[in-house]
Amino acid sequence: MSQLQSYLSGTWVSGTGPGTALVNPMTDDTLATADSEGLDLGAALEHARTKGGSALRSMTFAERGAALKALSGAIHEHREALIDIGIANAGNTRGDAKFDIDGATGTLAAYAHFAKSLPEGRGFLSDGDTIQLSRSPHFQGQHVCVPRHGVAVHINAFNFPAWGMMEKAACALLAGMPILEKPGTPTAMMAERIAHIIVESGILPEGSFSFLVGGPADLLDHVSAQDCVAFTGSSGTAKLLRAHHAFVERGARLNAEADSLNAAVLGPDVNDDCDAFDMFLREMSREMTQKAGQKCTAVRRILVPEGKLEEVGEALVDALARVRVGDPAESETRMGPLTNAAQLKSVREGLEKLQPVTKVLCGGDTSPFDRGPFQMPTLLQAETGEAAPVHADEVFGPVATLVPYDGSVNHAAQLVSSGGGGLLATLYSDDRKFSTELALALAPWSGRVYMGSSKVAEHGMGPGLVLPSMTHGGPGRAGGGEELGGVRGLQFYMQRTALQGFRTLINTAFAAPPAP
Ligand code: NAP
């Protein structure tokens, strides 16, 4: 058993407390402990600001992009060892662990590519065109974005220890901000291994990478005005963070990615003989069971036209029965256990809340296994579309509820919106009018709308895939934040400043260089 280490102020250190045990969910063996007690987090943030910030800002976008590419390669070299850690410490199947690790290296590589579109030889971005501000053309304005002079503090959820960490890191480092990464404690082994790879690679300048394992301790108390905190986790923790004086009084920036009752809508035109229906079945089954449903983008509510409820329920139960559940270390396994006993307890409590308004079509609160925190794929059916608990509680496991709707755009949009705002809404239809109207009706409530149809049945990448070129985040209960989206993802880490002055100065020093 090892004690995981933090990398702070350029040194590997361990907390002084007993720490939290990180377990193998299949055996309940403790694999490592993680602890942050007694660590000087104020000094660590100051080291990052002074050493790391100035070092990164002295690099061009192209140099930072090259560093991201090198990091992607360095992590990829350790892919097999990282997969083993995901299997042991998170109950990941091999496929789940690859999804996480390849997501991390793929996002780093994508941002290395985006760096090529950024201006050479300057450390800031011009935002938009120059604007004539007075009657005379002499006085003009230009918006620019410069890197903030603080630390990007990244607080991540337990479910994507690799991808969650590196997607935030890619944006901040390319923008020119040093990072401090804090993974979710239960699965921090993979993140810690990646931290060692990053430090040993020597790719990043001193101070630009810090890493904290164990609880957050007094981290936020040391966050100051130029710092940015990007948080991913539950809406309960997001609520706590929002009230912290680092944001309320000192004006540090906070981006929150929280939980989400993601919905999918099956259009009334989709019958069981069309490709869109096969796509729906395939993707719903995968979204429910990949990472044992512990994905922020996993589908929780599946809206089906009233008259098709029985037929769709049967088809989806059949598809879920084909997902082989078992020991994640076995290559045939397609879904492993939940990450730990605490997650199983939380899922079972969620099922209890749904029980009064739903019936169980498959799965439920029993498991055929005598060890491991297994939750079998569980499909519920709501009595009515308006069953309130279905739209109120995220059950963070392989659980979704079929929800009847009357087949209209209005009813579908009204039900989806009762989830209070989500990361992702999915629709399946070959009817262009229905798809267009529903996508626009869902958009105010959704960070992303994925439109499945027979035309893209062979091309869609699945709604759960978070692409670096598209934004990730959602309104309302999903946290109200936004990440990624190509170069847009840098803006959180930069200050947009309106510069006003003499035309020649504005045009020569600050306006966007002409396109090559
Ligand atoms: P969580 O309990 O909210 O924890 C998230 C992170 O916050 C962890 O690193 C945790 O540290 C830290 N934390 C807890 N209390 C804190 C405090 N008072 N101050 C500062 N940091 C604090 O969430 P989780 O159980 O890890 O993750 C599951 C949830 O995340 C689900 O609800 C899921 O929907 C959501 N999620 C959302 C997205 C998205 O992109 N929107 C992505 C993935 C997951 P410790 O682990 O040390 O307690």
Side-chain angles (χ1 to χ4, degrees):
M1 187 182 76
S2 63
Q3 186 175 14
L4 299 185
Q5 292 178 299
S6 296
Y7 187 72
L8 303 171
S9 303
T11 314
W12 289 104
V13 287
S14 301
T16 52
T20 305
L22 278 67
V23 298
N24 178 329
M26 287 303 291
T27 60
D28 220 23
D29 289 341
T30 298
L31 303 171
T33 58
D35 178 56
S36 55
E37 206 176 303
L39 300 178
D40 190 345
L41 302 180
L45 290 184
E46 196 47 30
H47 177 81
R49 278 180 209 113
T50 48
K51 286 267 180 201
S54 51
L56 279 168
R57 290 194 299 274
S58 72
M59 293 164 73
T60 63
F61 287 113
E63 286 166 340
R64 292 179 214 148
L68 297 182
K69 187 161 187 215
L71 282 181
S72 172
I75 297 169
H76 183 76
E77 272 179 36
H78 297 265
R79 187 172 184 252
E80 285 305 316
L82 291 168
I83 290 172
D84 289 343
I85 294 175
I87 292 171
N89 177 215
N92 288 173
T93 62
R94 201 180 149 74
D96 290 341
K98 279 199 287 190
F99 189 58
D100 189 12
I101 298 155
D102 295 347
T105 51
T107 304
L108 285 167
Y111 271 86
H113 178 71
F114 299 148
K116 294 182 184 156
S117 68
L118 301 179
E120 274 296 323
R122 20 154 93 170
F124 66 89
L125 300 174
S126 309
D127 177 14
D129 297 330
T130 52
I131 303 161
Q132 183 173 324
L133 298 175
S134 65
R135 231 181 254 177
S136 150
H138 285 310
F139 194 58
Q140 302 226 348
Q142 171 73 54
H143 290 99
V144 296
C145 296
V146 295
R148 287 164 70 92
H149 282 211
V151 191
V153 174
H154 294 156
I155 301 177
N156 293 305
F158 78 86
N159 57 337
F160 279 101
W163 196 344
M165 176 161 87
M166 297 325 292
E167 64 162 71
K168 289 183 169 68
C171 291
L173 291 170
L174 185 54
M177 274 193 95
I179 54 177
L180 181 141
E181 298 291 334
K182 186 209 130 15
T185 300
T187 59
M189 283 182 75
M190 187 185 298
E192 196 232 23
R193 186 72 200 97
I194 292 174
H196 277 277
I197 295 166
I198 292 173
V199 173
E200 281 156 24
S201 74
I203 292 166
L204 294 176
E206 188 189 338
S208 55
F209 176 78
S210 307
F211 179 75
L212 172 67
V213 278
D218 61 354
L219 178 64
L220 292 179
D221 294 342
H222 303 286
V223 164
S224 61
Q226 284 279 310
D227 298 336
C228 303
V229 177
F231 164 80
T232 297
S234 61
S235 41
T237 311
K239 192 172 159 189
L240 277 179
L241 261 57
R242 277 194 193 99
H244 196 280
H245 49 88
F247 313 108
V248 178
E249 283 163 28
R250 297 198 286 276
R253 273 191 190 165
L254 175 66
N255 188 73
E257 301 291 346
D259 54 49
S260 169
L261 287 157
N262 306 304
V265 181
L266 184 68
D269 60 296
V270 180
N271 295 316
D272 63 3
D273 57 354
C274 68
D275 290 345
F277 189 73
D278 293 342
M279 183 184 194
F280 162 82
L281 280 185
R282 193 171 61 241
E283 293 187 342
M284 291 300 98
S285 162
R286 184 172 60 218
E287 291 309 313
M288 284 179 65
T289 56
Q290 190 172 40
K291 282 206 151 235
Q294 300 165 114
K295 274 196 325 184
C296 55
T297 50
V299 65
R300 308 292 174 200
R301 302 173 292 161
I302 304 174
L303 275 60
V304 175
E306 278 145 1
K308 293 188 175 166
L309 215 49
E310 195 177 328
E311 162 199 349
V312 171
E314 281 169 12
L316 205 41
V317 167
D318 276 356
L320 291 169
R322 288 196 291 274
V323 176
R324 185 166 172 148
V325 183
D327 184 340
E330 289 173 8
S331 58
E332 319 79 61
T333 299
R334 291 292 162 266
M335 191 184 98
L338 297 174
T339 291
N340 54 31
Q343 287 308 312
L344 181 61
K345 183 167 176 283
S346 147
V347 166
R348 292 287 159 84
E349 285 167 359
L351 285 176
E352 259 177 52
K353 287 189 193 157
L354 296 178
Q355 189 265 331
V357 294
T358 58
K359 68 175 176 185
V360 178
L361 299 185
C362 67
D365 59 5
T366 54
S367 150
F369 300 96
D370 55 11
R371 63 184 185 127
F374 280 97
Q375 172 64 45
M376 296 304 284
T378 296
L379 188 64
L380 307 174
Q381 183 180 315
E383 285 165 1
T384 70
E386 279 70 19
V390 173
H391 305 289
D393 295 303
E394 181 198 45
V395 182
F396 204 56
V399 178
T401 305
L402 291 185
V403 178
Y405 81 107
D406 69 10
S408 72
V409 165
N410 281 352
H411 195 207
Q414 180 221 319
L415 292 178
V416 173
S417 69
S418 41
L423 290 173
L424 166 68
T426 303
L427 67 90
Y428 295 90
S429 175
D430 289 329
D431 177 337
R432 200 176 287 182
K433 183 168 180 288
F434 179 86
S435 299
T436 309
E437 289 177 2
L438 184 57
L440 290 174
L442 296 176
W445 299 95
S446 315
R448 182 156 61 90
V449 178
Y450 175 98
M451 290 175 276
S453 68
S454 298
K455 294 271 187 219
V456 294
E458 299 304 319
H459 311 286
M461 304 159 101
L465 188 63
V466 172
L467 295 165
S469 52
M470 304 295 285
T471 52
H472 174 64
R477 77 171 286 154
E482 187 178 282
E483 290 179 340
L484 300 172
V487 175
R488 285 179 194 86
L490 276 57
Q491 289 191 358
F492 178 64
Y493 302 102
M494 302 184 99
Q495 175 62 40
R496 182 183 291 112
T497 301
L499 298 176
Q500 303 174 331
F502 180 50
R503 174 178 58 184
T504 310
L505 176 65
I506 292 286
N507 277 324
T508 53
F510 303 113

